[in-house]
Amino acid sequence: MLQKLRTGMDIRDKKPGRGPTEPCEVNIVEQHARSTSLQFILREGRNRQLRRMCGEVGLHVHLLQRVRVGPIHLGELEPGKARDATP
């Protein structure tokens, strides 16, 4: 299942000419009896990409948390807030 997420997937984009997603890194962060926390490192950002990729392999997404955009780490930035973009 994780290997399928890692290698790129066809997530049925409505835009013509779009192929499968770019390969990404997927790592297990925490594993519990009924849930697993995963870390994704994407090379592109399609509309609802993670939710759609996980849905294709039968995973339910409970929470998504962006921690970095390119070289910029978001740190403790609260949802809806902004700050100067410093790496």
Side-chain angles (χ1 to χ4, degrees):
M1 176 184 325
L2 293 182
Q3 190 59 32
K4 187 173 181 180
L5 291 167
R6 289 179 177 128
T7 58
M9 306 174 65
D10 183 0
I11 55 172
R12 294 183 226 117
D13 273 333
K14 295 178 183 175
K15 295 180 182 178
R18 293 291 290 262
T21 61
E22 291 290 324
C24 67
E25 291 182 41
V26 183
N27 301 302
I28 296 174
V29 177
E30 290 183 53
Q31 205 161 14
H32 304 283
R34 296 184 49 136
S35 66
T36 301
S37 296
L38 301 175
Q39 174 194 49
F40 287 81
I41 301 174
L42 301 178
R43 291 176 177 79
E44 64 178 338
R46 296 187 190 182
N47 184 37
R48 299 179 57 82
Q49 180 175 342
L50 286 178
R51 291 185 188 278
R52 292 164 59 197
M53 287 171 58
C54 289
E56 286 290 319
V57 295
L59 296 176
H60 170 75
V61 176
H62 175 71
L63 173 70
L64 285 176
Q65 184 177 21
R66 184 182 304 242
V67 296
R68 189 175 97 182
V69 179
I72 302 170
H73 292 265
L74 302 178
E76 300 297 321
L77 189 65
E78 296 180 24
K81 300 294 181 185
R83 67 171 175 82
D84 289 337
T86 55

